[in-house]
Amino acid sequence: MLQRAEPQDFERVLSSMCTVPHPSAREAAERFLATNPGDPGTYETVADLEREAVDYLGDITGLSDPAGYVASGGTEANLQAIRIARNRSDTDDPNVVAPVHAHFSFTKAADVLGVELRTAPATDYRANMEAMAELVDEDTVCVVGVAGSTEYGYVDPIPAIADLAETVDALCHVDAAWGGFYLPFTDHDWHFGHADVDTMTIDPHKVGQAAVPAGGLLARDRSLLDELAVETPYLESTDQLTLTGTRSGAGVASAVAAMESLWPAGYEQQYETSMANADWLADQLSARGHDVVGPELPLVAADLSMPMTDELRDRGWRVSKTGAGEMRVVCMPHVTRSMLRSFVADLDWY
């Protein structure tokens, strides 16, 4: 079976937030595949690379002295951020307040960590601050904002969310897993330099073009990560703060290679290309009578009928739906104008 199997071709993938790795990232991943950053005392070279990766991510997110690590992805990073918030609090009944469009990983985190997840409705696809303010109380340990939502690509009012967190002495966590590599080239206020953000998720294996798995968790201060540390008496290092123990160095090395190759000019060029593609697609769909959401970042949602979306999938297009049933197209680096022209042509066929 394996000899005949081929990996997914990205030629018609329009729904994924992962993409084709940059060539340098692919090569670095292969070289460091057998290393383990979970044991930094033994695997010193990849441990040094992980510190370099965190420094790059700090530069991208406005943090001059970043703490953090390369995680398996956004789910792990979001869970760890909530774990930090829970562990530093004194309450026996912790809750987390997030907008309704927060990623489903927060539901997983609440379940695993035994915290209550309270979700507030959105207004125009962004967090409704009045609704969020009604949900926080003395047991709130974290208030979450999303910088580039998974369904629509919209950005929450991060400074206002950080201010709200401060009123109840909670942490402010920003999920920029997808948007974080596009947002530096926009006018949005979203990162550590714009607001009192405590922790952030940002994934090199999405728009950053690293190989999977290469997520990222950042913290404003190293003391926050200390909330995660457990002793490791039988390793050369004395403690470990990551959720997973053994980790392949492939993600770490590929993240460094991609960011070294692309930050900032390559990522800026990609943002401009992807945004232009999203604007073009939105115009084409609007001209055909479809209601379109966005794009605020390079993601387009439109009200195509569900049977039409299913028929497009039958023709090989990988498209997904929002919770409200709209078709959703993510203009990742592998998505070209030629691909979108072919997609629209198939759409017209129906």
Side-chain angles (χ1 to χ4, degrees), residues 85-94 138-141 169:
R86 183 200 65 176
N87 289 358
R88 69 180 283 275
S89 72
D90 295 326
T91 179
D92 294 326
D93 191 21
E138 66 275 9
D139 293 316
T140 300
V141 299
D169 193 29

Side-chain angles (χ1 to χ4, degrees), residues 260-284:
E260 189 175 71
S261 298
L262 295 170
W263 173 254
Y267 289 131
E268 182 173 19
Q269 182 179 16
Q270 186 58 62
Y271 165 74
E272 292 172 353
T273 299
S274 295
M275 198 69 226
N277 284 337
D279 285 332
W280 180 87
L281 179 61
D283 288 344
Q284 295 295 314

Side-chain angles (χ1 to χ4, degrees), residues 14-202:
L14 296 177
S15 60
S16 178
M17 286 186 163
C18 293
T19 192
V20 178
H22 188 273
S24 66
R26 183 186 298 271
E27 189 274 334
E30 291 176 353
R31 278 198 295 137
F32 282 85
L33 187 63
T35 62
N36 176 19
D39 186 4
T42 301
Y43 298 92
E44 295 178 332
T45 301
V46 77
D48 290 341
L49 285 176
E50 185 160 36
R51 285 187 283 271
E52 189 173 348
V54 170
D55 285 342
Y56 268 118
L57 292 174
D59 195 19
I60 292 167
T61 61
L63 192 57
S64 60
D65 186 23
Y69 73 92
V70 177
S72 60
T75 292
E76 178 184 340
N78 286 336
L79 188 150
Q80 288 283 75
I82 302 306
R83 186 173 162 223
I84 290 170
R86 183 200 65 176
N87 289 358
R88 69 180 283 275
S89 72
D90 295 326
T91 179
D92 294 326
D93 191 21
N95 70 73
V96 172
V97 174
V100 68
H101 50 263
H103 190 261
F104 56 75
S105 56
F106 290 99
T107 301
K108 294 182 181 181
D111 183 37
V112 170
L113 298 172
V115 304
E116 178 191 0
L117 178 62
R118 300 177 177 178
T119 56
T123 300
D124 295 328
Y125 308 101
R126 297 182 183 84
N128 181 313
M129 293 310 304
E130 290 185 4
M132 290 189 73
E134 291 177 0
L135 294 178
V136 300
D137 59 25
E138 66 275 9
D139 293 316
T140 300
V141 299
C142 186
V143 184
V144 175
V146 184
S149 61
T150 305
E151 281 191 300
Y152 297 106
Y154 274 60
V155 180
D156 287 333
I158 301 302
I161 289 172
D163 290 345
L164 178 61
E166 188 176 8
T167 65
V168 289
D169 193 29
L171 294 187
C172 172
H173 175 67
V174 173
D175 182 3
W178 174 70
F181 280 85
Y182 282 142
L183 283 164
F185 314 107
T186 72
D187 294 330
H188 289 286
D189 291 335
W190 64 282
H191 65 43
F192 293 97
H194 298 139
D196 289 331
V197 174
D198 296 293
T199 56
M200 180 176 291
T201 294
I202 177 171

